[in-house]
Amino acid sequence: MQLTKDGKLKHFLTIEGLPPLLLEEILDRAQQFISLPNKSQVQAPILRGKTVMNLFFENSTRTRTTFELAAKRLSADLINLDIRNSATTKGESLLDTIRTIEAMGCDMFVVRHSSSGAAHFIARYCAPHISVLNAGDGRHAHPTQAMLDMLTIRQHKGDFTPLKVAIVGDIKHSRVARSQIHALTTLCAGEIRLVAPKTLMPFGIEDMGVNVYNDIEEGIKGVDVIIMLRLQHERMNTALLPSVREYYARYGLTEERLSLAKADAIVMHPGPVNRGVEIDSRVADGPQSVILQQVSNGIAVRMAVMSMVIGSHAQGTGDANVS
Ligand code: NCD
């Protein structure tokens, strides 16, 4: 559903099932955008005359803003639909809202929704000339986040094949972790470790080809990359933890624990960061942290994905050439 008949990216809904070459193309394009001279001023004309709608049914700071900057740097017209004041809150169905926005004329929807599958649903029923980019759906997927994480890892480590990567925290409620696992697997990462208390580890997750740890000290020993995740209280419907303080005591990334990883290990976090809950401030702001680089890479990765989907449009003006 995401690819055209000739294998081009039409929608970006999930990493699952995408070929490695396509993921590499996203990373290569993103890296090219980063290398453009004077990048804050350059506006590539790839999306000139195109309209992008940001449809965020759930809160977001960095994802929404970096999608917005990416669209503007590609010369698109961008509308941030204020969904809290939209007619969906007056009982209009999602599909009716989508039809109404379509009638205003647009080329791309960037969708964030608390329900898993929302972006797929919109992609299935929207007009055929529209591309849908998933900016996070429920606990299911967050593909552009995973790709900006892959870009950050590649910038520091190069080849994925020898790497040991630990993803630590609330795996159960994390769409980011799911997309990262698919991306790391597709890019042939050496070992993926998941570290969480039993209550935050999804049942049967080993089937995704990962190694499971309930002890952070064992889980991060000798790794090249540590990805910390936030406790997603808004997606927990029962008490899964004794207390936040106990969680930090058992799973918080402190300087002492970080010293168990490789000396040149990098520390990542998709944000928002809860200091003193999953990570010590000294680590979040320390020399091994690449958290802010992840944010900057988000712009380039979203530019890459937007340029690729517009290139798949039959009448697209963009030849997606960034030079
Ligand atoms: C993540 C999300 O919304 O899924 N954040 C993000 O997009 N930068 C992770 C989170 O909310 O903890």
Side-chain angles (χ1 to χ4, degrees), residues 307-320:
S307 75
M308 282 167 71
V309 298
I310 220 66
S312 80
H313 289 197
Q315 315 90 327
T317 51
D319 63 1

Side-chain angles (χ1 to χ4, degrees), residues 55 84 160 212 227 283 290:
L55 304 175
R84 275 161 307 174
F160 284 87
V212 165
I227 304 176
V283 175
V290 296

Side-chain angles (χ1 to χ4, degrees), residues 182-248:
H182 286 301
L184 288 164
T185 308
T186 309
L187 295 168
C188 299
E191 185 188 354
I192 307 170
R193 301 183 186 177
L194 303 185
V195 184
K198 287 196 175 108
T199 49
L200 296 180
M201 189 72 83
F203 183 72
I205 191 93
E206 296 88 344
D207 297 349
M208 291 183 84
V210 296
N211 294 326
V212 165
Y213 293 79
N214 299 122
D215 180 311
I216 186 171
E217 282 155 20
E218 275 177 42
I220 64 175
K221 204 173 282 169
V223 300
D224 303 274
V225 177
I226 304 177
I227 304 176
M228 299 304 295
L229 299 173
R230 182 177 67 88
L231 288 178
Q232 324 236 336
H233 292 289
E234 74 279 15
R235 290 182 211 137
M236 297 184 194
N237 34 31
T238 48
L240 296 172
L241 293 168
S243 73
V244 164
R245 189 185 298 185
E246 174 154 354
Y247 181 79
Y248 182 67

Side-chain angles (χ1 to χ4, degrees), residues 62-63 112 142 145 175-176 230 232 235 270-272:
R62 64 210 87 210
T63 305
R112 167 167 289 197
H142 195 349
Q145 176 69 45
R175 53 195 174 206
V176 173
R230 182 177 67 88
Q232 324 236 336
R235 290 182 211 137

Side-chain angles (χ1 to χ4, degrees), residues 59-286:
N59 290 344
S60 165
T61 312
R62 64 210 87 210
T63 305
R64 188 182 56 70
T65 330
T66 50
F67 263 113
E68 181 169 350
L69 278 170
K72 288 185 172 159
R73 289 201 186 152
L74 294 174
S75 315
D77 292 324
L78 177 120
I79 308 290
N80 274 308
L81 196 78
D82 186 357
I83 230 79
R84 275 161 307 174
N85 294 326
S86 81
T88 36
T89 58
K90 296 184 187 165
E92 184 176 80
S93 75
L94 180 58
L95 213 48
D96 281 330
T97 305
I98 296 302
R99 293 268 173 273
T100 308
I101 300 166
E102 268 173 18
M104 298 172 198
C106 64
D107 305 278
M108 227 181 272
F109 289 149
V110 179
V111 180
R112 167 167 289 197
H113 203 288
S114 56
S115 298
S116 300
H120 281 78
F121 175 83
I122 293 173
R124 170 151 302 153
Y125 293 107
C126 69
H129 70 279
I130 293 176
S131 283
V132 178
L133 309 185
N134 186 2
D137 62 323
R139 320 172 172 193
H140 172 240
H142 195 349
T144 56
Q145 176 69 45
M147 291 313 294
L148 73 88
D149 296 331
M150 296 308 112
L151 181 64
T152 312
I153 295 174
R154 197 174 79 165
Q155 287 167 346
H156 285 272
K157 303 287 172 194
D159 186 13
F160 284 87
T161 51
L163 296 183
K164 293 185 170 131
V165 181
I167 306 175
V168 183
D170 184 0
I171 314 278
K172 184 171 184 167
H173 300 98
S174 178
R175 53 195 174 206
V176 173
R178 266 172 203 77
S179 288
Q180 286 167 338
I181 295 168
H182 286 301
L184 288 164
T185 308
T186 309
L187 295 168
C188 299
E191 185 188 354
I192 307 170
R193 301 183 186 177
L194 303 185
V195 184
K198 287 196 175 108
T199 49
L200 296 180
M201 189 72 83
F203 183 72
I205 191 93
E206 296 88 344
D207 297 349
M208 291 183 84
V210 296
N211 294 326
V212 165
Y213 293 79
N214 299 122
D215 180 311
I216 186 171
E217 282 155 20
E218 275 177 42
I220 64 175
K221 204 173 282 169
V223 300
D224 303 274
V225 177
I226 304 177
I227 304 176
M228 299 304 295
L229 299 173
R230 182 177 67 88
L231 288 178
Q232 324 236 336
H233 292 289
E234 74 279 15
R235 290 182 211 137
M236 297 184 194
N237 34 31
T238 48
L240 296 172
L241 293 168
S243 73
V244 164
R245 189 185 298 185
E246 174 154 354
Y247 181 79
Y248 182 67
R250 294 203 45 206
Y251 289 95
L253 187 62
T254 57
E255 285 180 313
E256 203 184 348
R257 285 183 173 144
L258 176 56
S259 68
L260 298 168
K262 287 208 179 128
D264 64 350
I266 54 169
V267 175
M268 304 174 67
H269 194 308
V273 174
N274 285 325
R275 292 162 185 264
V277 178
E278 67 265 358
I279 192 166
D280 186 329
S281 273
R282 276 169 297 195
V283 175
D285 302 329

